[in-house]
Amino acid sequence: QVQLVESGGGLVQAGGSLRLSCLGSGGTFRNYAMGWFRQAPGKEREFVAGITWDGGSTYYPDSVKGRFTISRDNAKNTVYLQMNSLKPEDTALYYCAARTGTIIITSRRGYAYWGQGTQVTVSS
């Protein structure tokens, strides 16, 4: 099974950018489709980006489409989330997650492995 560790969160002004990273270990990284989720206080954990095992397909909800980009480097066992044009409503704890399989799933129930999260705070 894979262990995941996120990094790259922080405080940024509205309109700014951040790049999150998620390093996997203990498993064969290319066996997993990957997702990024976020959870703000008092809200449900929501899907923000997904990528297939080979990086050939990605998916985003409308709330982040055109602003967020997910990518992966299987040689480095790492998945990234580039976040541009950040808004205060993007403030949340961001998690990466892995699922065995080839397709992207938007439900958190589809992911068996989770990191501890990295905080992103966007000031207005």
Side-chain angles (χ1 to χ4, degrees):
Q1 64 184 43
V2 64
Q3 291 82 46
L4 304 171
V5 178
E6 303 95 336
S7 61
L11 174 64
V12 64
Q13 288 189 331
S17 299
L18 281 175
R19 189 175 82 153
L20 306 183
S21 299
C22 174
L23 175 65
S25 63
T28 304
F29 194 70
R30 66 180 180 274
N31 286 349
Y32 301 94
M34 301 296 295
W36 283 97
F37 290 74
R38 67 186 180 188
Q39 189 166 18
K43 294 189 176 181
E44 294 288 319
R45 191 171 298 188
E46 64 170 340
F47 172 86
V48 296
I51 190 166
T52 51
W53 70 276
D54 61 350
S57 293
T58 58
Y59 182 77
Y60 309 90
D62 288 344
S63 58
V64 306
K65 193 176 296 181
R67 301 189 298 122
F68 289 12
T69 302
I70 188 171
S71 61
R72 68 189 296 163
D73 184 340
N74 286 341
K76 296 182 178 179
N77 288 354
T78 302
V79 63
Y80 305 97
L81 185 67
Q82 178 67 44
M83 305 185 296
N84 299 327
S85 301
L86 283 162
K87 306 174 182 179
E89 51 263 44
D90 294 318
T91 294
L93 190 60
Y94 282 71
Y95 299 90
C96 74
R99 64 178 303 275
T100 305
T102 59
I103 64 172
I104 298 167
I105 300 293
T106 61
S107 169
R108 61 179 294 184
R109 294 177 181 82
Y111 293 80
Y113 309 103
W114 293 83
Q116 294 301 305
T118 185
Q119 179 67 38
V120 172
T121 303
V122 184
S123 63
S124 58

